[in-house]
Amino acid sequence: MRLSIIGAGYVGLVSGAAFAEFGHDVIIMDIDRERIAKLQRGIVPIHEPGLDRLLDKNSDRISYTSNMEEAVREADIHFICVWTPPLEDGSADLSAVRAVARELGKQFVKLKVKTPIIVTKSTVPVGTGVAIQRLVRQSYKGDFSVVSNPEFLRESQAVADMLRPDRIVVGSNDPDAAKTIAGVYHDVNAPIIMTDLATAEMIKYAANAFLATKISFINEVANICEIVGADVERVAEGIGHDPRIGKAFLKAGMGYGGSCFPKDVRALHQFSNASGYDFKLLKSVIEVNEQQRQMIVDKVNKHLKILNGKNILVLGLAFKAHTDDVRESGALDIIERLQIQGANITAFDPLALLNAKKKLNDLVILVGNAHEGAVGADAIIVATEWPDFKELDWERIQSVMRKPLIIDGRNLLDPSEMRKLKFIYEGVGR
Ligand code: UDX
């Protein structure tokens, strides 16, 4: 099949590479010429394990362009993979999606294409597929279909998630178009859920909101564990063996971050409200997530009292381990809260220093390793669960700190070992 990918971001590149691996001809389009020029030279602008290899392996079947006309000419099925960032009120900003839809309509007319299919991969609120239909129809009067085929990619595991998904969701009000899109995944061994447009759009939000709810739930359990003297790690283990609950996403910590959960949970809450439904549970999920970050700061306050002039080392800036992404990262949020109280912040991350530098103010000192940052520190906050942090020479770190306090926001370290090394150790819910 001949596929175009509109938007050479994270979702677009991973999807495009996988579609080429499935044997399709793929043209990847982005209005960012510099990005396209880089890709044409073999430079992948994002960090995602295995992506450069997959793009390279399938380079015969992949081309890049910043010209929409070319993308439309070279493909029959167009995947919209542009971003949908949050607006001030939490709703998804669909201006990029709309612009693509309008442009596709114009190109369909100009190139006199026959029965094209538009597929949304970007996470879009229920009703967007129908809105795309209307926008395209403003210029193009021929037959075309809109399909929703949401992605469920986790950063740092996106290539595997795309090549070996646990399910494929295809929603359309046109069953033939849905069948065609299911055919894009002909060799993939995964259940395919065929449904209508609105349901497919809803599945994506429901999936992310449910996972976020699991995280906020276990974080609340952690908070009560602290009060009653129980250990949330063992509680998670004890409930996770029940297949109805499942072990995944029961790690208590600083709350969820990243480019998806915070945005999608807020968007679902917002469009529920706009549809006249008060989604009470989601409101709490959001509040708990906020509170979880403040609780880390409260723990620092409990031990250091006044933060003005205190030196705090933040270990980890990425929103989770194995990525350089700092979007909605809990670490950045906590740094801001500590700075408001006058703390001096030093920070280290194995991969995300460059991205973090763009978002942090000049007062934050970024260091090349944890030992350097620990000299004279009054506290260390573990903010990302990088496995490397477990292997640090903690004895040496303890010896150079001014106060041996560790607030482990990810329950990464072994509390008894840390206490043996004479650290004052506080995790989350244990
Ligand atoms: C997520 C979804 O998993 C994916 O299906 C969707 O398509 C995009 O959003 P991602 O943002 O890459 O993927 O991160 P994920 O690994 O799901 O983690 C999200 C956040 O939750 C991170 O901040 C992580 O640290 C946190 N988290 C996750 C917890 O705090 N506890 C957990 O048990 C799991």
Side-chain angles (χ1 to χ4, degrees):
M1 294 183 190
R2 301 190 320 151
L3 316 177
S4 89
I5 301 285
I6 316 294
Y10 177 77
V11 171
L13 288 175
V14 175
S15 305
F19 289 156
E21 174 77 10
F22 299 159
H24 306 299
D25 291 322
V26 176
I27 180 159
I28 300 179
M29 186 271 166
D30 199 295
I31 48 171
D32 183 341
R33 287 194 187 157
E34 217 175 292
R35 181 168 274 248
I36 289 299
K38 273 191 186 160
L39 284 161
Q40 282 165 337
R41 292 202 304 274
I43 302 165
V44 182
I46 57 169
H47 171 86
E48 185 60 37
L51 177 60
D52 38 5
R53 217 168 35 86
L54 198 66
L55 286 168
D56 186 48
K57 182 179 166 215
N58 294 291
S59 56
D60 288 357
R61 279 190 290 272
I62 305 175
S63 59
Y64 303 95
T65 181
S66 48
N67 181 326
M68 186 68 110
E69 185 178 333
E70 192 184 342
V72 171
R73 196 183 313 114
E74 297 299 318
D76 313 299
I77 300 172
H78 309 282
F79 285 83
I80 302 184
C81 300
V82 296
W83 69 337
T84 53
L87 289 168
E88 197 70 10
D89 66 352
S91 63
D93 180 354
L94 295 175
S95 50
V97 173
R98 286 196 205 99
V100 170
R102 279 193 207 99
E103 189 56 29
L104 282 173
K106 282 184 200 151
Q107 295 301 338
F108 291 166
V109 175
K110 189 169 172 191
L111 298 168
K112 299 192 177 72
V113 298
K114 294 229 164 63
T115 58
I117 301 178
I118 300 172
V119 190
T120 50
K121 264 226 172 284
S122 305
T123 305
V124 290
V126 179
T128 305
V130 172
I132 290 173
Q133 236 149 7
R134 268 200 307 269
L135 285 168
V136 174
R137 218 165 257 144
Q138 281 175 2
S139 44
Y140 180 69
K141 309 293 176 201
D143 273 350
F144 71 99
S145 309
V146 177
V147 177
S148 163
N149 171 219
E151 49 81 22
F152 301 98
L153 309 178
R154 288 165 298 176
E155 283 188 33
S156 82
Q157 293 165 73
V159 170
D161 285 347
M162 189 67 203
L163 294 176
R164 291 179 292 282
D166 42 28
R167 82 291 209 188
I168 295 158
V169 174
V170 180
S172 181
N173 300 338
D174 171 355
D176 289 335
K179 257 189 231 142
T180 304
I181 299 310
V184 170
Y185 299 89
H186 55 93
D187 277 343
V188 180
N189 181 20
I192 301 193
I193 292 105
M194 304 286 274
T195 184
D196 56 86
L197 254 181
T199 307
E201 289 168 340
M202 192 63 192
I203 286 172
K204 170 69 197 221
Y205 280 99
N208 277 357
F210 185 79
L211 292 170
T213 303
K214 249 185 133 176
I215 298 171
S216 278
F217 176 82
I218 200 67
N219 281 332
E220 291 236 87
V221 172
N223 299 340
I224 186 71
C225 278
E226 280 183 18
I227 298 169
V228 299
D231 180 346
V232 72
E233 293 288 313
R234 304 313 303 271
V235 172
E237 192 188 339
I239 62 173
H241 280 288
D242 183 333
R244 292 170 303 175
I245 296 174
K247 291 182 192 148
F249 279 73
L250 286 180
K251 185 84 187 157
M254 311 195 319
Y256 56 81
S259 62
C260 290
F261 283 178
K263 159 176 93 73
D264 293 350
V265 174
R266 280 199 295 263
L268 177 54
H269 185 246
Q270 195 279 338
F271 78 73
S272 299
N273 259 335
S275 317
Y277 183 73
D278 179 15
F279 201 146
K280 294 190 191 75
L281 184 58
L282 274 194
K283 201 165 155 221
S284 300
V285 169
I286 297 165
E287 276 170 18
V288 170
N289 204 53
E290 277 284 305
Q291 162 190 290
Q292 217 54 26
R293 289 164 179 194
Q294 182 55 38
M295 285 182 79
I296 300 292
V297 176
D298 292 346
K299 282 178 180 163
V300 181
N301 277 119
K302 186 177 95 186
H303 290 276
L304 299 184
K305 309 284 185 291
I306 293 163
L307 297 193
N308 195 17
K310 298 278 165 55
N311 302 327
I312 298 173
L313 167 63
V314 175
L315 281 185
L317 294 164
F319 82 95
K320 66 174 187 180
H322 310 291
T323 175
D324 65 348
D325 195 342
V326 298
R327 284 177 287 177
E328 299 263 357
S329 164
L332 268 46
D333 186 352
I334 286 170
I335 288 175
E336 216 178 293
R337 292 171 198 241
L338 294 167
Q339 281 192 319
I340 289 172
Q341 294 191 55
N344 306 318
I345 308 294
T346 304
F348 168 69
D349 189 286
L351 214 58
L353 282 179
L354 218 61
N355 283 339
K357 198 175 160 57
K358 294 177 205 152
K359 300 223 170 172
L360 292 166
N361 57 40
D362 293 344
L363 295 174
V364 179
I365 300 171
L366 300 175
V367 289
N369 64 68
H371 291 99
E372 189 186 334
V375 177
D378 296 289
I380 291 179
I381 298 175
V382 179
T384 310
E385 71 285 19
W386 284 104
D388 323 19
F389 294 159
K390 275 202 240 183
E391 313 306 327
L392 291 170
D393 183 348
W394 285 103
E395 197 169 358
R396 200 174 124 217
I397 289 181
Q398 204 272 6
S399 69
V400 297
M401 289 177 75
R402 191 154 70 180
K403 187 178 169 95
L405 171 64
I406 293 187
I407 307 295
D408 185 354
R410 298 289 193 159
N411 285 350
L412 180 76
L413 307 169
D414 181 335
S416 55
E417 261 177 44
M418 289 298 123
R419 287 182 189 126
K420 245 191 260 160
L421 293 174
K422 305 248 174 349
F423 275 107
I424 306 161
Y425 174 93
E426 277 219 40
V428 178
R430 56 176 179 169

